[in-house]
Amino acid sequence: MMRDSSWNRIGRMGAALAAVLLAAGCGKTTTQAGGTGDAASRVYVAPGQYDEFYMFASGGFSGQVSVYGLPSGRLFRVIPVFSQDAEKSYGYSEQSKPMLETSYGFIPWDDAHHPSLSKTDAMNDGRWLFINGNNTPRVARIDLAEMNTKEIIEIPNSAGNHASPFVTQGTEYVVTATRFSVPTPQQDVPIATYKENFGGQIGFVAVDAKTGKMTLAFQIHMPGFDYDLARPGKGVSHGWAFFTSYNTEQANTLLERNASQNDKDFITAVNWKVAEQCVAAGKAKTWNTKYAHNWVDDADIAHSEMLTSEKVLEPADCPDMVYFLPTPKSPHGVDVDPTGEFIAAGGKLAAVIPVASFTKIQKAIADKSIDRMVDGIPVLKYEAISACEVPQPGLGPLHTEFDEKGNAYTSMFLSSEIVKWSVKDCKVLDRIPTYYSIGHLMVVGGDTRQPDGKYVVALNKITKDRYLPTGPELTQSAQLIDISGDKMKLLLDFPTIGEPHYAQAILASKIKDAQIKTFNLAENKDPNATKAEKDARVVRKGNVVHIYMTAIRSHFVPDNIEGVQVGDSVYIHVTNVEQDWDVPHGFAITGMHNSELLVMPGQTRTIVWVPERPGVLPFYCTDFCSALHQEMQGYVRVSPKGSNVAVSYNTPK
Ligand code: RUQ
Ligand code: CUA
């Protein structure tokens, strides 16, 4: 859920009702709202014991990913992705700064929504995690053995990369789509010419099977609707991807009313195998667009490259590639069941949860059960594709995930609950309140061929009275719910970093033993690495001073440095020469307009400091590394510009 716009969209119809529900919640129906003693034992992971699952949650508008254990809800790590992270010097160190380059320049923040685990044969394989940046449209790839961001690609012709980056069943592609239609290509036109000049975009980013490296394979130029969420097919529907599209009215003002006119909007069904054939047959046009591609090389150094062209398909040039599936009303989420046969949509304003059948879609295409054409794209007949509708599921259905037993779980934003229903006949089986205003939900492995089941996690937008208050901004929250029995059972509330927009989870055993413990110092390829203390040195080149420094428990070499002048650009290259797990060293110096450095064992990181006043300034290790951590320090003497103090430094004799 968007924080603002979709609140407004649901607006009038929902506000009154939501207020009633929230008020009811604030009245504390404690029997349902609280966990029981039995629930406590279900989530208790004894000190020193490991959780069964890793959960990767988006940080929403923090732009990061956070890593939790399930069932405990304990937070283990924040992985910096789209936002600078001063704790880890991500986006501050010279080696990482290029990761945040875009065609608009350096952008130190984004709004991250959908973590998506890489898949092999429609199962989570534990290699990578992808996540989208919505605002300046980007997709990032995190290496799960290191839990660091390794690559970010900007998505051209997009404005709100929301329906992204869902992974196809063999990680052939991650999909993208634009939430806002914009002039395509971008240009200065009156907004009132929306219908003539604005277009949508659906894109496929290819992922190299070995390295994970991303390339924008092609985009499809779509009518100017809003493309909201996506899921690729799997099993029977492998080779297809489904995108919800609202604002088929193509309104450009007051969307909460004007984009809620049509009774049905669409799921856009894309046959990407046909698209591939059209691209191979030369039917794509080359568009000149600027977009950044940033990646970390095998020396652990980020690079940024500006790309200038891409392949774009027009649906008219590639028949059989795109179909519209009518879907009630202003659909938000679209989700595909474990078999790939059933496609459930969440119509924010719909009274039912519509479920389409992939087999029926194929039959409708073969039989030409076409209701009408929209911009040259066939709209299939609703009756011809519908498997069933979940009647009266609740209010504001958004997202659906599946367990391994043929059940579906749908989040209800307005009525603030999860509804469990049976996929084969659309019968409601159970419901449980969530506290409050659930957006996404996640069943462990819930988008795979064989979900792990066990738990559904509610990812809530509002917590109100659930935690100790912290001023005007309250924490956001996830709730762990047991789905192993017939009745769902609330086990745990746990606060989250940023908005836990969406999450995915994987068995810990699939990645735990692959974790990198140190970087191999002998293989450190950073050109500024200092692998031995005897090589530590200070070198002046004009106004630039390079300090090649080593760090080990519990000293830096060199420590006392003289000959630095006001206005110099001082490049501090720190190599952590430890080869032990869990022994990073930090580096910070008074008055540096930059973050600290945090350097992993075997790694080199560089930070730039421009001293502003004469004096003698201490630097020190920021990460408590040993009994003598407080001794891990040194001084830099800063002399006035033009001073004749020679460069000198102290090394152990
Ligand atoms: S969605 S509006 Cu993932 Cu429900 Cu962002
Ligand atoms: Cu090194 Cu503290």
Side-chain angles (χ1 to χ4, degrees):
M1 287 288 301
M2 296 64 67
R3 281 166 75 205
D4 285 316
S5 43
S6 63
W7 287 84
N8 293 337
R9 285 177 54 75
I10 292 163
R12 269 164 213 128
M13 155 200 172
L17 176 77
V20 169
L21 289 160
L22 286 173
C26 298
K28 282 262 180 215
T29 40
T30 5
T31 32
Q32 267 187 318
T36 64
D38 170 45
S41 72
R42 293 286 317 277
V43 303
Y44 181 69
V45 178
Q49 299 296 300
Y50 290 158
D51 281 279
E52 185 180 4
F53 301 102
Y54 282 101
M55 178 174 103
F56 299 95
S58 116
F61 44 88
S62 84
Q64 317 292 44
V65 163
S66 36
V67 186
Y68 300 84
L70 292 182
S72 72
R74 298 181 294 187
L75 172 68
F76 301 140
R77 175 171 172 79
V78 174
I79 303 173
V81 184
F82 298 113
S83 299
Q84 281 180 302
D85 183 343
E87 177 196 356
K88 303 178 183 76
S89 53
Y90 179 85
Y92 294 94
S93 71
E94 291 302 296
Q95 287 87 348
S96 64
K97 271 160 53 180
M99 290 304 278
L100 302 180
E101 289 297 337
T102 73
S103 65
Y104 300 85
F106 184 84
I107 308 258
W109 169 87
D110 216 308
D111 180 20
H113 271 210
H114 306 120
S116 187
L117 288 161
S118 60
K119 296 198 164 47
T120 299
D121 192 20
M123 296 299 287
N124 293 327
D125 61 22
R127 297 199 292 168
W128 307 301
L129 180 79
F130 299 88
I131 188 160
N132 59 328
N134 266 330
N135 184 56
T136 304
R138 290 177 267 183
V139 172
R141 179 174 56 87
I142 292 164
D143 179 340
L144 288 180
E146 200 185 304
M147 301 223 185
N148 276 322
T149 304
K150 291 292 186 181
E151 190 178 5
I152 294 181
I153 188 166
E154 189 179 350
I155 308 299
N157 303 309
S158 182
N161 180 33
H162 195 246
S164 177
F166 301 94
V167 173
T168 57
Q169 75 167 32
T171 320
E172 296 89 347
Y173 295 104
V174 298
V175 304
T176 72
T178 190
R179 181 171 138 224
F180 310 101
S181 281
V182 284
T184 33
Q186 265 296 4
Q187 53 182 316
D188 169 23
V189 292
I191 297 165
T193 64
Y194 187 101
K195 284 190 181 154
E196 301 88 87
N197 286 324
F198 285 44
Q201 167 277 127
I202 283 175
F204 288 78
V205 174
V207 180
D208 183 90
K210 260 225 179 82
T211 61
K213 211 157 183 191
M214 299 186 287
T215 327
L216 180 61
F218 56 90
Q219 293 190 315
I220 303 172
H221 186 210
M222 293 293 293
F225 308 154
D226 293 36
Y227 298 86
D228 215 8
L229 276 149
R231 284 288 182 189
K234 57 173 157 307
V236 286
S237 54
H238 179 53
W240 289 72
F242 305 95
F243 300 81
T244 47
S245 334
Y246 66 98
N247 192 20
T248 54
E249 298 86 349
Q250 297 189 260
N252 63 74
T253 171
L254 297 176
L255 262 63
E256 72 176 302
R257 184 180 70 231
N258 295 334
S260 306
Q261 304 295 310
N262 292 347
D263 220 35
K264 293 196 171 63
D265 296 278
F266 300 132
I267 289 173
T268 303
V270 177
N271 185 332
W272 54 258
K273 296 219 163 149
V274 167
E276 283 176 338
Q277 289 160 12
C278 286
V279 173
K283 292 187 182 159
K285 303 206 168 81
T286 300
W287 285 23
N288 296 325
T289 25
K290 249 176 95 183
Y291 59 105
H293 180 215
N294 314 326
W295 74 97
V296 176
D297 68 12
D298 61 356
D300 206 7
I301 297 172
H303 301 269
S304 181
E305 168 187 30
M306 208 54 74
L307 300 170
T308 51
S309 83
E310 53 150 341
K311 293 202 160 62
V312 179
L313 283 166
E314 298 289 344
D317 298 338
C318 186
D320 303 326
M321 173 178 66
V322 186
Y323 294 89
F324 285 138
L325 318 179
T327 306
K329 168 170 191 172
S330 298
H332 181 63
V334 56
D335 293 284
V336 178
D337 88 314
T339 66
E341 167 65 13
F342 297 105
I343 300 139
K348 287 168 291 195
L349 306 177
V352 298
I353 299 170
V355 181
S357 146
F358 184 73
T359 311
K360 286 187 165 183
I361 293 169
Q362 296 310 301
K363 183 154 189 309
I365 293 170
D367 295 351
K368 304 216 161 23
S369 290
I370 292 166
D371 183 67
R372 64 191 195 279
M373 302 292 280
V374 168
D375 281 11
I377 297 169
V379 180
L380 300 178
K381 289 203 168 105
Y382 182 71
E383 299 69 33
I385 60 160
S386 169
C388 56
E389 292 176 339
V390 182
Q392 299 182 319
L395 292 171
L398 292 185
H399 301 282
T400 300
E401 295 232 338
F402 303 88
D403 70 12
E404 74 289 14
K405 295 179 251 175
N407 302 309
Y409 302 80
T410 300
S411 55
M412 300 285 165
F413 177 78
L414 288 177
S415 51
S416 201
E417 61 186 335
I418 292 175
V419 169
K420 174 182 175 183
W421 50 278
S422 122
V423 176
K424 66 173 191 301
D425 55 11
C426 283
K427 280 222 171 72
V428 172
L429 302 173
D430 190 23
R431 54 182 73 237
I432 189 168
T434 54
Y435 303 93
Y436 304 95
S437 301
I438 181 174
H440 278 268
L441 78 181
M442 183 231 16
V443 174
V444 179
D447 71 335
T448 66
R449 171 166 60 72
Q450 206 164 31
D452 300 271
K454 277 197 157 177
Y455 306 109
V456 62
V457 176
L459 301 157
N460 299 329
K461 307 296 183 193
I462 293 180
T463 52
K464 288 273 172 199
D465 54 358
R466 297 294 283 181
Y467 299 97
L468 283 173
T470 52
E473 191 188 15
L474 303 179
T475 186
Q476 303 180 66
S477 172
Q479 291 186 293
L480 184 76
I481 293 163
D482 177 7
I483 55 169
S484 57
D486 286 344
K487 288 261 153 215
M488 291 181 278
K489 200 166 147 196
L490 176 62
L491 300 177
L492 179 73
D493 280 20
F494 58 100
T496 58
I497 301 240
E499 183 207 358
H501 184 91
Y502 178 51
Q504 292 216 312
I506 182 170
L507 265 177
S509 58
K510 286 199 181 173
I511 51 178
K512 174 170 71 68
D513 299 329
Q515 293 305 301
I516 290 172
K517 296 192 165 87
T518 63
F519 297 106
N520 187 326
L521 182 64
E523 287 168 14
N524 180 328
K525 295 197 196 98
D526 192 301
N528 297 307
T530 311
K531 297 189 187 181
E533 289 184 355
K534 66 172 176 40
D535 299 324
R537 64 207 185 275
V538 180
V539 180
R540 170 180 286 283
K541 286 184 189 148
N543 291 333
V544 178
V545 176
H546 290 275
I547 301 177
Y548 300 93
M549 183 179 274
T550 59
I552 195 167
R553 280 161 292 180
S554 300
H555 58 272
F556 292 107
V557 177
D559 63 358
N560 289 345
I561 299 165
E562 302 199 355
V564 167
Q565 297 178 11
V566 169
D568 283 342
S569 290
V570 183
Y571 285 73
I572 303 154
H573 312 282
V574 181
T575 302
N576 179 345
V577 296
E578 306 267 2
Q579 291 287 266
D580 270 351
W581 195 17
D582 199 19
V583 192
H585 294 286
F587 175 93
I589 187 161
T590 312
M592 179 166 65
H593 290 259
N594 225 324
S595 75
E596 67 161 350
L597 277 181
L598 190 66
V599 193
M600 298 303 128
Q603 190 184 41
T604 302
R605 297 284 95 170
T606 300
I607 199 99
V608 179
W609 169 51
V610 182
E612 289 167 347
R613 341 170 172 157
V616 176
L617 301 172
F619 59 85
Y620 71 103
C621 173
T622 51
D623 191 325
F624 206 109
C625 51
S626 71
L628 297 175
H629 158 79
Q630 289 295 77
E631 279 69 16
M632 197 163 171
Q633 63 154 68
Y635 289 102
V636 179
R637 175 178 171 192
V638 180
S639 304
K641 206 175 182 63
S643 130
N644 57 12
V645 175
V647 167
S648 70
Y649 48 94
N650 183 51
T651 56
K653 299 284 139 32

